[in-house]
Amino acid sequence: MSNRIQTVTGPISPDDLGTTLVHEHLLIGWPGWESDTIRPGPGRSETVSICVDRVAEMKDVGVTAMIDPCPNDLGRDVELMADVASKTGFQIICATGLYKEDLGGAPYWKFRQSSGGTANEIAELYIRELTDGIGSTGVKAGIIKVATGAPKITDYELMLLEAAAIAAKETGAPIITHTDEGVLGDEQQAVLSKHGVPPHRMIIGHSCGSSDHDYHMRIIDGGSYIAFDRFGIALFQSDEQRVASLLKLLKKGAASQVVVSHDSVWCWRGQPFPNPEAMAPLLEVWNPSHFHKRVIPMLEEGGATAEQIRTMLVDNPRRFFAGDPLPALG
Ligand SMILES: [Zn+2]
């Protein structure tokens, strides 16, 4: 049995999914961006052209597919994704889901919750976006996004995890997560499992926010995919540290459970950084070709094989979306 993958330009077979980065963003907007009326951000044609250039940069290094796991409440624009995907022939998978409590669109859903709204109501939204499409766009989500903050999972976020599980069970769609500070990924795994989601249907995101090998191995041993998906963001961990942590997992034979990306953001609703000069060193490497240009050589230097790198970039995303069981460690 093999599931189809729902891309923003239509369904494909997992066998046709190419070299895949699991977490990049065409466009995001922090809730409240629309209040900054004097700094609206780039217009539509400029946004499209920036995204088309970024995709060209990815194709130049051999990347042919990505997940943009932008949740519904972070300025998600699936028509932009579909437009860019059809202009470039690039495979883009978009998400349905809601962001963590402190930085997402929680006020609306907490208002609903205060008068009886439930995880079921949110699951109904996710299921609709996965099966019928998102609003009137005709674009269908191909994955469910969940997010937690730190240091603990809030009641609101527990409701979102439950909603994601209900939608995953109903539709067979897989789940990708956001974690803060490299913690709680194992708890996300436990909560989603408790609600009936098989662990190999989850990517535990931003796990490279931690250098704790035991934490990484708990996620691996729990049977989920682990994402090292913030290469280039030195603010949280250096790439040297990420590579060292990843090499330890490869030595344990865990290559078949690791996926990679940058969490790069190409366009912002409103304006991103008030001081772009200060951000220049980050922006230099925080782009979606960084893994191929600079990180693969670091991994190879540390002993990673071409086969392990292909496994992380091609085989794992295919197997994850197909829903096929994990191979044994080693
Ligand atoms: Zn992200």
Side-chain angles (χ1 to χ4, degrees), residues 201-267:
R201 302 299 283 151
M202 310 167 197
I203 291 175
I204 304 299
H206 305 335
S207 300
C208 57
S210 169
S211 55
D212 178 349
H213 180 66
D214 293 339
Y215 171 75
H216 293 152
M217 285 309 296
R218 280 201 297 281
I219 294 169
I220 300 272
D221 290 337
S224 296
Y225 291 87
I226 188 168
F228 276 54
D229 52 5
R230 280 182 156 170
F231 279 104
I233 311 184
L235 189 66
F236 302 129
Q237 290 268 318
S238 68
D239 280 352
E240 286 71 21
Q241 184 61 62
R242 287 190 180 93
V243 165
S245 298
L246 178 47
L247 287 168
K248 280 190 200 167
L249 296 181
L250 297 182
K251 290 204 176 79
K252 284 273 174 77
S256 58
Q257 283 172 255
V258 182
V259 288
V260 298
S261 214
H262 311 86
D263 199 7
S264 66
V265 177
W266 309 343
C267 302

Side-chain angles (χ1 to χ4, degrees), residues 23-25 28 69-70 74 99 145 178 206 230 263-265:
H23 194 133
E24 310 292 340
H25 298 285
I28 75 159
C70 185
L74 233 51
Y99 203 48
K145 171 75 174 280
H178 165 106
H206 305 335
R230 280 182 156 170
D263 199 7
S264 66
V265 177

